[in-house]
Amino acid sequence: MPVPLHTTGKASFDDIYDRPDPRAYYARMSDLDYRIPELAKPFFQQQIREYRASARVTTPTVLDIGCSYGVNAALLRFDTTMRDLAEHYADAGSDRAGLVRRDRARVTAGGGPADVRFLGMDAARPALEYAHEAGLMHDVVHADLESGEPTDEQRALLATADLVVSTGCVGYVTEKTLTRVATAHPRRRPWMAHFVLRMFDFAPIAAELAALGYRTEQAPGLYEQRRFASEAEQAQVLNTLSANGIDTTGREDQGWLYATLYVSRPLPKHHADTEDPH
């Protein structure tokens, strides 16, 4: 069955985010060698360390935009890999309730760093609810901030974020979402670290963040996200990159989507707060 294309030009995987548990998600992503969350892990860990060293916060909150089933949180909380997670769910013979109990037991037994709080945001309710019920996320925000402002309750949760991360949602979300997240707190701005596919231009987001007092830097290097899901997806992405003047030689033309890391941090006067929010 052909893989449908999203309006962005990427393959659409909407169907796997509407499942009640992650089994179909990890099976499909494993087939495509999806690896960007694992490659992002050490960079996110470094951002957490640097934030803790620079701020009066004992337990920083990491907000994962487009968190789906809590993939980044699982990688950051456990000594695990994408392959391990795929096998973890492939071996699962339980129903959803059994999977939730098994994951919650894993979190309780040794849920990684106790001095980090994980907050997830996604427009896909089933995936988000699983991440929360399984204990991978301490709290969640079900919202589409492309279409409107957060509610007061959502804003209050978003305002607790110290570090905002993502590994594949930019393109689906734009400066609308990220500025609404950045301004959730009235007095301070969270740090941000986003892995962005090369087919998407981060400049409009960087410009909006700059107006809010951020400085954005593009980190060196390119990072494999996953293999193309179809020849049609590859052709569409290659056309987009070519139109943007991006050389795909030895990269996307070899069958992989590639991402760039953008780190955005508020200038000191925008980062300071009078009280530790935690």
Side-chain angles (χ1 to χ4, degrees), residues 32-223:
L32 297 175
D33 290 326
Y34 182 60
R35 61 185 57 178
I36 193 67
E38 190 170 336
L39 296 178
K41 177 177 178 176
F43 294 95
F44 291 162
Q45 290 173 321
Q46 180 64 25
Q47 294 294 310
I48 292 168
R49 287 193 296 268
E50 291 181 9
Y51 186 90
R52 184 178 286 112
S54 72
R56 295 175 297 146
V57 175
T58 56
T59 305
T61 293
V62 176
L63 168 62
D64 184 5
I65 300 181
C67 69
S68 68
Y69 294 96
V71 182
N72 286 319
L75 288 168
L76 288 165
R77 298 185 74 165
F78 306 123
D79 181 18
T80 192
T81 65
M82 289 299 293
R83 181 185 295 275
D84 291 339
L85 288 172
E87 293 176 352
H88 172 73
Y89 290 105
D91 292 341
S94 304
D95 58 9
R96 182 184 187 278
L99 291 176
V100 167
R101 286 195 298 271
R102 190 174 71 158
D103 283 348
R104 290 193 70 87
R106 188 181 189 187
V107 170
T108 302
D115 54 355
V116 180
R117 176 173 169 266
F118 292 95
L119 174 64
M121 187 176 84
D122 208 296
R125 186 184 292 275
L128 190 69
E129 288 181 345
Y130 185 89
H132 192 206
E133 290 179 36
L136 296 171
M137 293 294 180
H138 293 89
D139 218 331
V140 294
V141 176
H142 176 241
D144 175 6
L145 299 188
E146 289 295 295
S147 60
E149 295 286 341
T151 65
D152 290 344
E153 182 180 1
Q154 291 169 343
R155 183 177 285 107
L157 278 174
L158 295 172
T160 65
D162 298 303
L163 173 62
V164 180
V165 303
S166 70
T167 52
C169 74
V170 173
Y172 300 105
V173 306
T174 68
E175 60 272 14
K176 293 178 182 179
T177 291
L178 295 186
T179 56
R180 284 166 174 159
V181 169
T183 57
H185 194 290
R187 296 186 303 277
R188 65 181 181 88
R189 305 282 187 247
W191 291 15
M192 296 194 179
H194 300 288
F195 282 83
V196 182
L197 289 176
R198 296 210 297 166
M199 65 187 291
F200 299 123
D201 184 6
F202 197 73
I205 294 175
E208 291 293 330
L209 292 179
L212 296 176
Y214 280 86
R215 176 185 291 117
T216 296
E217 295 183 355
Q218 179 178 334
L222 295 175
Y223 305 90

Side-chain angles (χ1 to χ4, degrees), residues 198-274:
R198 296 210 297 166
M199 65 187 291
F200 299 123
D201 184 6
F202 197 73
I205 294 175
E208 291 293 330
L209 292 179
L212 296 176
Y214 280 86
R215 176 185 291 117
T216 296
E217 295 183 355
Q218 179 178 334
L222 295 175
Y223 305 90
E224 296 169 335
Q225 193 208 47
R226 61 166 169 81
R227 296 186 185 277
F228 285 107
S230 66
E231 292 182 0
E233 182 188 32
Q234 183 176 15
Q236 182 67 41
V237 171
L238 288 174
N239 287 339
T240 298
L241 291 169
S242 177
N244 292 337
I246 297 174
D247 183 11
T248 62
T249 304
R251 301 291 185 178
E252 289 85 358
D253 68 348
Q254 297 301 302
W256 286 84
L257 285 157
Y258 278 85
T260 302
L261 170 60
Y262 292 91
V263 176
S264 302
R265 293 185 181 180
L267 298 172
K269 67 177 181 178
H270 297 279
H271 176 60
D273 195 3
T274 56

Side-chain angles (χ1 to χ4, degrees), residues 8-29:
T8 60
K10 287 176 57 182
S12 174
F13 299 108
D14 289 349
D15 62 311
I16 59 177
Y17 298 109
D18 287 333
R19 306 293 179 89
D21 64 64
R23 284 177 285 195
Y25 170 88
Y26 279 107
R28 186 86 62 88
M29 292 298 102

